[in-house]
Each structure stands twice: as structure tokens, then as C-alpha cells.
Amino acid sequence: MLEQAAFTTQGHNPDILTCIASLSNDEVFTPPEFANQMLDTLERSWADANDGANIWADKSATFFDPVTKSGVFLREIARRLTEGLVEEIPDLEERVDHILTKQVYGIGITELTSLLARRSLYCSKYANGPHSIAKSFATEAGNIWFERSEHTWTGGKKEFITDPTTGQEVEQMVNRKCQYCGAKETEYARGEDLETHAYGFIHTDDIDARLTELFGENMHFDVIIGNPPYQMSTGGSGGAGVQARPIYNLFVQQAKSLDPRFLCMVTPSRWFSGGMGLSHFRKSMLNDDRLRIIKDFPDSNDVFPGTQIKGGISYFLWDRDSSGDTSVTTYDRGEVVSVATRPLLEEGSDVFIRYNDGVKILKKVMKVELGGAEVSLRLPDDKQFMQSVSSIGAFGLSTTFRGNEKRAVDDVLVFRNGGTGYISRSELTKETQAIDCWKVFIPRAGSGSDSFPHPILGRPFTGGPGTASSWTYLHIGPFKNEDQAKNVVSYIVTRLFRFLVLLHKPTQDATRSVYTFVPTQDFSRPWTDEELYAKYSITEDEIAFIESMIRPMDLNDE
């Protein structure tokens, strides 16, 4: 039956699950080919850990997708088990029923996706329906659960409002957030006709008890696998506008708490070195030596065509019973371009450096800057270019600032989004010491593309005394004169400078921290790539790699 369904699917082009468009950036459907790549990784790891045993021939192995959308993981797992258990359970109907009722489990993230997943897995809207290929379920949901969940609002402050119907003052709480996912009540307190996005897997204090309640027995899973929702809107404010809060980390942490034998999940790769509120998660992941495999796709279009996820995506395999260095594989346009086994955290670094060849180049730079000492990726403060870079919004002007068109006496020229404007000097209360110095301005966000070669940063330009900027730009300085500022610009436009930025830059945002690995130079003179390559003994092969990643920057281009 499942075999027959699979045969029918394979006989038509395309598989229906390849045709489904993602609902949004936080609910990305996994293509079947990619799901099978992850399952291949799991299969090899299981065999390595179990003396070559075939996971698909084990009728006791259990699999759980806590974030089921199309049902592709469960469907492909069931297909593989149907083939692998032929000898163990020869009767096809008995074998399929055993797999679907005893081995594969899921939690739908919305009502729609739970229905889609059941059709994918059971070939029926109802697990116990007449058309279902499972024959032993007593419930319509089977092993794919979904019920509407609500957020648990907490915190906030009291506010008194006038009830329009009574004219009486009443007390209410405002600015509350969900204690589990951090969602704002103003964004996600919704009526019955809208999804709450209060995902059942992470909205509980006791996930073990919750799963027992859902599936009717004390559940322990050998494998947890899935592609969780990536983010939730926070509403945003100030210079940054609407923002999105990562939530995939909550699914990973909850899955780990279940202590599976293997955990394999897709996530945005921005956790490697950035992401709002991800510092604790990043530290936890990078100090966990059971994270044995990372498969990295810097351009998300290579996996999810038509869906751009800034910083790319990756999947990892965590092995509860094995520890050591991590196998890191980088892909480009579907091809493997680099494989290395190395520590997740290099000495002196607080982020994961995603490019294997980048680690070697960075160590060369650090060795020169540290005088040939034992290699660390931590530059002393006096050698950090970052020390000259401002924070975002350093002058206190939002990205929507327009300013005056005409200049009055003692006004300051402000470089803003889309041009320039003027503001009275007295209105600037932050970074006032930088106003009358030479400095370099650089956009706080680079190009939105993740394809390579890439400029990495926006074009820098010099600003003389009497200048400032809105949230749109960071400033670098101060510098003694215009020549020194121009020499800094010459350094920034080199490919090596921007390559070192890339190693610490998770998305298009170019905040101060992305300059962590960049050493400062003698800015009494200009710099070229040829001079920097010679200074750090960069080889021809390494130059070719850098230049395959970093596009030349012509300051004369518009």
C-alpha cells in the first residue's frame, strides 16, 4: 500500500510535495529531496554507531517530527521502513500498520499542515478513515496531533482605560509577552478564526508529560527530526522598524531535553555568529561536542528555491552518545565545495566560522598580528579595527530622519537614507565628540543577496568635520585628517578586509561586531589587496578562494 502509493508518486512528475509553496519565511516546507538528504545523513550515523546496522530494518526504532508541515519527513521515513522491514514483517498490510502506529509520530504546527501531513502519511484526512492505509488507529488524528494552543501572557504593566459602554475606569494589563516564546500579546492575541502560532511543542513546562498525554504512553524517541518555524514578528520600534524574533532555537532546546538518540534539524545558519537573542543558544550549541555534523548552504535558494533566508540555512546532526570534532560540509549550487572535521569553536573565537578554508586564512592573519605566537583568533584591543567602529544609531537619529533641506548657521550635515539633510547642532546629544572629526561612514546593511561573489559591505565614504549620520550608517574614526580617512576607505574596499568581515557576519546587517576578526593597519598610507596578501603570506589557492567569495568594490560605481 505505502509501496504502491510511493510507486504511483514516483511514476508522475512531479511529487506533489515538490509543488507546495511555503506559507511564509517562518514556515518553510521541506523539499522531499532535501528531507532524503537528511535521512541519508541519519542512516550513515546510525550505522556508524551501531556496528553497521540498518536503521530502516529496526522495527523498534521510533521517529518524531515535532514541527510537522507537509509530513515529508514522516512519509519518507515510513517509505524507507516499509522497504527495510520486508524480512522482519513480510505481510505488507501488517508492516505498514506497524510502522504508522508504532514508529512514526508528529505534531502539526497548524491545523492546515496537520491535515496535509495526515494525507501525506496515511493517504487520508482521517487516520482511522476507510481510505487510511493504517488499520489500527482509534482516532482521526492517529499519531499526528494538532490542537489549537494559546499563548501564556505574562509581565506587562497596569493601565487604566475608560470603558466606552459604562464610562467607568477599568484596569488592564498592557505590553505582555508569552512566557514560552516571547510573542507580544498585541501581535498574537487572536480570535478563533486565526492561527495563534502558539506551537504546542514549546508551549509547555513538561514536554515528557505532554507527549504522554498526546500519544497515550510514556514516549521516548530514538530520532527527532524536522524543520521548525524560524521566527515570529515582534512588531519592532525605533530605527529598525518591524523586527522578527528567532524561535527555532526553542524547538532545538526542547528536542534536546527529550534526550533522543539522534537529533537532526534544519535551521537558519545565522545562529553561527549572530541573531536576535541567540547568544545563549549559540554558546550552548558551540560548546556541545555531541553536535557531530553540520551541512551548510550559504545560499538558501539551493535548498528552498524562491525563498531567501538571510545568511543561508543548514542542518545539523546531534548524537547523544558520541562526542568529538564536527564534520562541516559546505555546499554551493547543490555541489560539495568543502569538507573538514574541526572544532566548533576555535581558540579565541565566540562564533562558529562557517567556511573551512576561511579558518586557515584567518589563522594566518592572526599569527602575523600576534607576532607568531600560538594562534588565537582574539586580537588585543589595540589591534582591533572594531574599536574604531561606532554602534548602530550612534548619533541618535532614526532611519526615517529626513532633516532640513537648507543649512542654517552651525547646522550639521547628516548622511541619511536616500541622501542628506541638516540638523541643528544643539539637537544632537549623542557622539558629539565625533561631529567635528574626520571619519568614514558605511551602511549598516549590505546587499540583500546571498549569492557569491558578494560585496559583503556597502560602499564606504569619508565625512569631514561638521557631519553626522542617521541609523542608516555606522561611522568609523575619528581620524586626524582627510588623507587618513581615505586610507581607511582603501583598506575597507580590499577583498581581504571584506572576507574577514564575512567570517563574522551572519546576515546582511553589518553591526560593529562583524569587524571582530579585522586587524587595524597603519593608516598613514593606503592599502591594496596585493600588499595585504603579501603581509599575511596568503597563497594563490587562498587568494582564489577569497576572490571567489568577494566581489571587487569600485567606489566610482553608482
Side-chain angles (χ1 to χ4, degrees), residues 106-122:
I107 293 179
I109 63 170
T110 64
E111 182 177 11
L112 174 63
T113 60
S114 67
L115 295 173
L116 179 59
R118 289 183 199 120
R119 285 194 178 275
S120 296
L121 188 60
Y122 307 137

Side-chain angles (χ1 to χ4, degrees), residues 250-269:
L250 304 180
F251 292 90
V252 174
Q253 291 165 336
Q254 188 78 297
K256 279 189 178 183
S257 75
L258 289 172
D259 196 34
R261 179 66 179 81
F262 289 97
L263 170 61
C264 190
M265 278 195 170
V266 187
T267 70
S269 295

